[in-house]
């Protein structure tokens, strides 16, 4: 059981309950089917008859769909909050406008002694060529942008159902999810993260725009994704 738990990233207590024909700890029919499929793939069994047997004996009359999992229990009322939030925002904007106006008025009224205009701000450095009177601006070197330097961008396209789990490099649990075949998901982390995949052979994965999966990967594996594009498995 310990090896199955490590390869599927499913807790041993949940696997033990499933062996006793108890699926309440799975969190619903949607996750129960995903756990059955992941365990069957690791043990080399055919998941189709196992899922059919589960649905015949345990599935509720009104099955829960993936859309129902993310549907709020009560309607979210935002109109009143948005109206109330405008008052402090407008007040802050008015204070900023008045402050800027006073600053420019006071700055324009200050002049050097004798009516001289205020000192001009220093402009960009210029170079003068020998024998020429026309100055040329100093060359500027544009900084090369480095996207994803301080974040990890993950995009997963599921061809088949795939279980995904995330932990920190020190093993602290973050969250887990099941990406249904024919859908895709995107995650962004601003720190290093370990990504566990239950069915890497049935997905297309990119991390910071690159494919981190070794060719021919079919068994569950864990990827260590770091900042600056560092990837290891």
């Amino acid at each position: 059981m310990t090896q199955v738990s490590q390869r599927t990233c499913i807790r041993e207590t949940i696997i033990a309950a499933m062996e006793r024909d108890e699926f309440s700890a799975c969190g619903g029919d949607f996750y129960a089917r995903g756990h059955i499929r992941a365990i069957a793939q690791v043990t080399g069994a055919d998941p189709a008859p196992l899922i059919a047997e589960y649905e015949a004996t345990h599935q509720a009359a009104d099955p829960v769909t993936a859309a129902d999992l993310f549907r709020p229990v009560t309607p979210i009322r935002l109109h009143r909050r948005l109206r109330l939030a405008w008052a402090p925002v407008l007040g802050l904007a008015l204070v900023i406008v008045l402050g800027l106006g006073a600053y420019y008025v006071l700055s324009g009224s200050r002049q050097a002694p004798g009516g001289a205009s205020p000192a001009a701000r220093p402009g960009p450095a210029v170079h003068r060529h020998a024998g020429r009177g026309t100055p040329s601006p100093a060359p500027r070197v544009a900084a090369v942008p480095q996207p994803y330097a301080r974040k990890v961008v993950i995009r997963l396209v599921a061809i088949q159902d795939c279980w995904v789990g995330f932990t920190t490099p020190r093993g602290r649990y973050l969250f887990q999810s099941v990406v249904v075949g024919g859908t895709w998901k995107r995650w962004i982390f601003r720190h290093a993260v370990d990504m566990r995949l239950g069915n890497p052979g049935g997905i297309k994965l990119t991390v910071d725009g690159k494919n981190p999966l070794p060719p021919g990967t079919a068994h569950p594996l864990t990827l260590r994704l770091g900042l600056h594009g560092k990837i290891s498995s």
Side-chain angles (χ1 to χ4, degrees), residues 29-30 33 51-65:
D29 294 334
F30 179 78
R33 288 193 295 269
I51 294 176
E53 180 180 354
Y54 166 80
E55 292 177 347
T57 56
H58 294 85
Q59 190 173 16
D62 295 327
V64 179
T65 62

Side-chain angles (χ1 to χ4, degrees), residues 138-214:
R140 295 182 179 181
V141 179
V144 179
Q146 297 181 356
Y148 313 139
R150 296 185 179 178
K151 60 184 178 180
V152 181
V153 181
I154 304 170
R155 188 175 188 270
L156 187 150
V157 179
I159 302 172
Q160 302 173 358
D161 294 356
C162 179
W163 181 92
V164 183
F166 291 97
T167 62
T168 65
R170 294 186 177 181
R172 183 171 65 86
Y173 172 81
L174 297 177
F175 64 90
Q176 65 181 15
S177 177
V178 175
V179 184
V180 181
T183 64
W184 66 276
K185 283 193 176 183
R186 184 171 182 260
W187 301 278
I188 298 177
F189 296 91
R190 299 190 180 276
H191 54 78
V193 65
D194 285 358
M195 181 180 187
R196 298 180 179 180
L197 298 170
N199 183 19
I203 64 171
K204 292 182 179 179
L205 181 67
T206 57
V207 179
D208 294 343
K210 300 178 181 179
N211 180 12
L213 296 176

